[in-house]
Amino acid sequence: MTLNPADVLVLAEDGNALTAIGDFVADWPTMWPNLWLGTLDTVYMVWWATVFSVLIGLPLGVLLVATDRGGLVPAPAVRAVLSAVVNIGRSLPFIVLMVAVLSLTRFLVGTTLGPTAAIVPLSIGAIPFFARLVETSLREVDRGVVEAAHAMGTRRLTIVGKVMLPEAMPGLIAGAVMTVVTLISYSAMAGAIGGGGLGDLAIREGYQRFNDHYLWATVILLIVIVQVAQSLGDLLVRRLSRR
């Protein structure tokens, strides 16, 4: 059997690919301790940034709906100010936001380096994002249900807590999952200024030291984290939607 030059080239490329994969697998045990710590830092940053985003973004989204015309507490001027603040927060590129809030980060946590410091810009960047998702979810609630509760003399806070939020819960969970996925990508960018996590590892060990294996490994782990978060979120949304 004779091989033409094209077949030889294909076999050579396949051999190079297999060699690269073999080298990557061989380096994995050496890289794993750093990758594990980077993964823990990423999960730590994303978890606390999500907590703060929900704690602040949820009431902010409720206020955006409640103060709108026809809302529970119509206040167009207040709504305009809140909407402008949210729009400004969403319009800033995250890499710019991280640099812009360095002084605030140092004031709040005493440093601008590490995973704890990265939580500050991550939260600030995600709060307006989640607030808009909350607003969208609440606007999808049947107005007839809200008006019926209001006509029965139900207090406004009770309407929000017992009617609007439960009715919008699948959408709110979906918005929270979307926020988590966004924060995972933000956390990777936080590594550019020493935020720690997989992004920092990719830049320090992968890009700056020309180690492709670290780059591949961090990309794989980030994909895995996103897939796990998205799958768990989708499962929870489906269960809530069946009720």
Side-chain angles (χ1 to χ4, degrees):
M1 177 180 177
T2 59
L3 296 176
N4 59 45
D7 293 332
V8 173
L9 181 60
V10 170
L11 289 174
E13 290 177 347
D14 290 343
N16 291 335
L18 291 175
T19 300
I21 294 174
D23 292 341
F24 174 73
V25 173
D27 281 348
W28 184 267
T30 303
M31 297 186 296
W32 177 242
N34 288 335
L35 292 171
W36 174 244
L37 292 177
T39 301
L40 291 179
D41 285 345
T42 295
V43 173
Y44 167 76
M45 288 187 289
V46 171
W47 167 257
W48 283 110
T50 301
V51 170
F52 291 126
S53 298
V54 172
L55 290 178
I56 301 175
L58 181 61
L60 182 56
V62 171
L63 284 174
L64 286 169
V65 175
T67 56
D68 199 6
R69 290 183 175 84
L72 294 175
V73 189
V78 174
R79 204 264 177 190
V81 172
L82 292 176
S83 183
V85 172
V86 170
N87 288 338
I88 292 172
R90 292 185 62 196
S91 64
L92 291 175
F94 183 68
I95 192 71
V96 175
L97 176 64
M98 287 192 300
V99 177
V101 299
L102 284 176
S103 297
L104 177 62
T105 301
R106 185 181 294 108
F107 173 76
L108 291 175
V109 300
T111 181
T112 59
L113 301 175
T116 301
I119 293 173
V120 176
L122 286 173
S123 301
I124 294 175
I127 286 170
F129 178 80
F130 183 65
R132 282 300 185 194
L133 295 177
V134 171
E135 180 187 12
T136 301
S137 298
L138 292 178
R139 289 191 185 282
E140 294 176 353
V141 175
D142 187 357
R143 289 184 61 86
V145 177
V146 178
E147 291 173 356
H150 189 65
M152 294 172 61
T154 307
R155 296 176 58 187
R156 294 184 179 91
L157 286 177
T158 304
I159 292 176
V160 172
K162 299 292 186 179
V163 179
M164 296 177 67
L165 292 180
E167 288 291 324
M169 191 56 66
L172 295 176
I173 296 298
V177 174
M178 191 179 300
T179 302
V180 169
V181 173
T182 301
L183 282 169
I184 293 172
S185 66
Y186 282 178
S187 71
M189 285 188 282
I193 59 171
L198 292 173
D200 177 66
L201 200 60
I203 293 173
R204 216 169 13 88
E205 298 291 340
Y207 176 73
Q208 294 179 350
R209 298 188 179 183
F210 304 100
N211 190 331
D212 290 342
H213 291 177
Y214 263 105
L215 292 175
W216 298 347
T218 52
V219 169
I220 291 171
L221 288 173
L222 287 170
I223 291 174
V224 169
I225 294 172
V226 168
Q227 291 300 319
V228 170
Q230 189 69 60
S231 298
L232 292 176
D234 291 344
L235 178 63
L236 185 55
V237 169
R238 285 196 297 269
R239 289 188 175 183
L240 289 173
S241 298
R242 293 193 188 116
R243 293 182 178 180

